[in-house]
Every structure is written in C-alpha cells, then in structure tokens.
Amino acid sequence: MSRILSTYNSELKLKGFNVFQIEKDGNATKAYSRKDFYKICLTTGKSRIHYADRSFDAEGTILFFGNPNIPYSWETLSIQYVGYTILFSEDFYTSGKHSETLQKSPLFKMGGTPILDISEHQRQFLNSIFQKMIEEQQSDYEHKDDLIRNYIDLILHESLKLKPSENYNQDKNGAERLTNVFMELLERQFPVESPDRPLLLRTAKDYAKDLSVHVNYLNRAVKEVTGKTTTTHISERITNEAKAILQHTNWNVSEIAYALGFEYPTYFNNFFKKQAGISPSSVRLEKV
C-alpha cells in the first residue's frame, strides 16, 4: 500500500527545501516523495543503511547523502538517535549560480561515497551549520534561499575532504536494488519531448557508466531479477517511445531516429521493424 503524502509534501515541493532537527521536529516522520529530493543527514547513533547494492553498518556520528535516483533504506538500531536532516530538490540547488549536476557528485552518485565517518570536532562544526540553516529557514531574510544554498555547498566541500566509511558489505539484495536503480534511470529518459533533446543513454554500457558499475555486473543483476537482459529492457522502452512519437507527433523519421539516439534513419527503421514486426510508416498510418 502506498503512503498518503501529507500537506508537508506540498509545502516541501513549493519551497524546494526543508531542514530540521531529527529528535525535535515532527517533520522527521512526515511522508514526502523521496524521488524528488536529495537528502543530507548528520546523525549520531547505531544504524544499518541499505544503499543501492551495498549495506553499511554505522555507529557513532555519520554524514549520509541520499540521492532520489538511488533506492535506500534506513534501520535505526539504537534507542537514542539524534541529529539533523536537510531535504532539497535539484531545482532549488541549481536555481542559484550552481551549474554542476548533483548526480555526478562523488557524494551522491551511484558507486560514490554516501556515508562519511565524523569525528567529534567535525560533528560540532557541522552541527553549527545545520543550526544556522534552521535559523535562516525561520527568518524573513529576503535572500535566505541563497544563504541556505551556500550552507549546503559548505557541507559538500567539507565532506569532500573526508574519508568515506569502509564499513560496508555487498547486500544480499544488491541485484534487486541495482536493477531498481537501472529501471528508474531508464524511465527517467522518457518521454522524449523534442528532436533537439535526444536520448543521452542508449546502450547497456551507457547505463553502466552512469551508474558507476561494470556493464557485466549490471547485466547479471538485471537478468537475475527480471529474466530479461539490460539491452532488451532498453530496446523495448525505446520501441514503445517510438510508437508514441509516431502516433502523437508529426516528426519525420529522421527526427525520430535522431531523438532516439540512432545515427541514421535506416538504423532506426531496421531496429523498429525487428522489435515491432512492422515499419514505422505502418504505425503512423494507424494514427487516428
């Protein structure tokens, strides 16, 4: 059963961010759409974190970086668990002078360093940053969004100096988690809305590179979980998109081929006939 999202989710989407103290703020347990927000947590306690195809056992103070494109879950193992959390959308972060994509950051990317061990000195410093963000969030300062973005940057830059946690193991459900990441990344490539914005990821190697895993590992995981190869999933999704474009737009075959990542229209025609059993022009003739 899916969770019913509270008004908190709407408020969060409207602002683009929210920062709170875990043990004191009810927002820590309110439902929100995790797919829309990056997450940075500074926590002290004992926990087990499942992130993509790995599991981390954490004790003491850690800094965690959650990517909305990568599935993760959190098991709290200690009675006392304290700290801070900030949620923010990529639109909020990049609406300032930030141009780099968060998904490429070593802290957020698949195969990156999502968990850092934090010393007591570092904890006090990071605590002060989170406290300043909470103060600004509650203020009427006209440029508080810019200031909060700067605080996020400060956390990110300080974090890049730190050594990532090595206390992890390959999750027994790693294949399923990696497959979920791949399927979500695949779906995020669609719909293709303009011939001028073609698919960025076309092959299994493209997806493996973007996910920072070896293509053979990705292929094994996807085949084990779904019974289909990575290439089959990609081909089926591109075929479905091609049908939708043929039926609902006036793009010519050359435009469709380019938009879907084919170098030449003949390559697209051959691909489509093999996948769909009919030619692109036949699908267009069926258009109502």
Side-chain angles (χ1 to χ4, degrees), residues 33-47:
S33 177
R34 195 173 67 190
K35 290 184 178 182
D36 295 326
F37 300 96
Y38 287 83
K39 182 177 187 177
I40 302 177
C41 290
L42 177 69
T43 62
T44 301
K46 187 176 181 180
S47 60

Side-chain angles (χ1 to χ4, degrees), residues 150-164:
N150 288 336
Y151 283 134
I152 293 173
D153 270 343
L154 182 55
I155 293 174
L156 296 179
H157 284 295
E158 288 296 321
S159 300
L160 289 172
K161 300 177 184 178
L162 304 178
K163 184 178 179 181

Side-chain angles (χ1 to χ4, degrees), residues 235 238-239 262 266-276:
S235 297
I238 289 175
T239 302
F262 293 89
T266 52
Y267 291 176
F268 168 67
N269 274 309
N270 293 337
F271 167 85
F272 191 86
K273 287 178 183 177
K274 181 179 179 180
Q275 293 293 318

Side-chain angles (χ1 to χ4, degrees), residues 163-211:
K163 184 178 179 181
S165 171
E166 297 179 351
N167 190 22
Y168 71 87
N169 53 71
Q170 207 72 18
D171 195 338
K172 63 180 180 180
N173 296 318
E176 183 175 351
R177 293 179 183 279
L178 181 57
T179 299
N180 288 340
V181 176
F182 161 71
M183 295 299 289
E184 185 165 325
L185 183 57
L186 173 63
E187 194 57 38
R188 281 177 179 264
Q189 308 306 305
F190 303 94
V192 177
E193 297 179 337
S194 168
D196 297 327
R197 300 180 64 183
L199 287 180
L200 297 177
L201 306 176
R202 270 283 285 116
T203 68
K205 286 186 177 180
D206 291 338
Y207 282 88
K209 182 179 179 180
D210 201 73
L211 295 172

Side-chain angles (χ1 to χ4, degrees), residues 9-254:
N9 186 72
S10 299
E11 295 168 359
L12 181 56
K13 290 197 75 170
L14 183 64
K15 287 200 308 181
F17 76 94
N18 188 40
V19 55
F20 52 87
Q21 193 167 358
I22 292 174
E23 74 272 32
K24 291 186 176 180
D25 199 310
N27 287 342
T29 58
K30 289 184 178 179
Y32 67 96
S33 177
R34 195 173 67 190
K35 290 184 178 182
D36 295 326
F37 300 96
Y38 287 83
K39 182 177 187 177
I40 302 177
C41 290
L42 177 69
T43 62
T44 301
K46 187 176 181 180
S47 60
R48 181 172 297 117
I49 302 167
H50 306 287
Y51 185 88
D53 60 339
R54 293 180 290 175
S55 292
F56 296 80
D57 291 316
E59 189 166 5
T61 301
I62 63 164
L63 196 59
F64 169 79
F65 301 87
N67 183 331
N69 302 299
I70 299 176
Y72 61 86
S73 60
W74 198 302
E75 298 177 50
T76 301
L77 304 178
S78 55
I79 297 175
Q80 289 189 328
Y81 208 79
V82 297
Y84 296 90
T85 294
I86 181 168
L87 304 167
F88 59 95
S89 67
E90 184 149 18
D91 285 344
F92 170 78
Y93 182 76
T94 57
S95 63
K97 296 180 180 179
H98 305 77
S99 58
E100 67 272 19
T101 172
L102 287 165
Q103 293 184 40
K104 299 300 183 183
S105 166
L107 300 167
F108 289 106
K109 73 178 183 180
M110 179 78 174
T113 57
I115 296 176
L116 302 174
D117 293 316
I118 302 300
S119 69
E120 176 59 22
H121 175 73
Q122 292 162 343
R123 185 189 71 81
Q124 292 180 13
F125 174 69
L126 291 168
N127 272 356
S128 68
I129 297 177
F130 277 98
Q131 288 165 1
K132 288 179 181 297
M133 284 195 289
I134 290 176
E135 290 173 6
E136 292 303 332
Q137 178 175 251
Q138 297 170 346
S139 77
D140 296 324
Y141 178 49
E142 182 180 358
H143 303 292
K144 68 180 180 181
D145 286 7
D146 289 332
L147 192 50
I148 287 175
R149 277 188 282 266
N150 288 336
Y151 283 134
I152 293 173
D153 270 343
L154 182 55
I155 293 174
L156 296 179
H157 284 295
E158 288 296 321
S159 300
L160 289 172
K161 300 177 184 178
L162 304 178
K163 184 178 179 181
S165 171
E166 297 179 351
N167 190 22
Y168 71 87
N169 53 71
Q170 207 72 18
D171 195 338
K172 63 180 180 180
N173 296 318
E176 183 175 351
R177 293 179 183 279
L178 181 57
T179 299
N180 288 340
V181 176
F182 161 71
M183 295 299 289
E184 185 165 325
L185 183 57
L186 173 63
E187 194 57 38
R188 281 177 179 264
Q189 308 306 305
F190 303 94
V192 177
E193 297 179 337
S194 168
D196 297 327
R197 300 180 64 183
L199 287 180
L200 297 177
L201 306 176
R202 270 283 285 116
T203 68
K205 286 186 177 180
D206 291 338
Y207 282 88
K209 182 179 179 180
D210 201 73
L211 295 172
S212 300
V213 297
H214 194 281
V215 65
N216 292 343
Y217 178 46
L218 176 62
N219 284 333
R220 282 197 302 271
V222 173
K223 184 67 181 294
E224 176 186 330
V225 174
T226 69
K228 296 180 181 180
T229 65
T230 311
T231 299
T232 297
H233 282 288
I234 297 169
S235 297
E236 289 179 349
R237 187 62 185 86
I238 289 175
T239 302
N240 289 336
E241 187 69 10
K243 290 178 181 178
I245 293 172
L246 286 163
Q247 292 173 344
H248 302 294
T249 76
N250 293 318
W251 302 359
N252 62 44
V253 173
S254 295

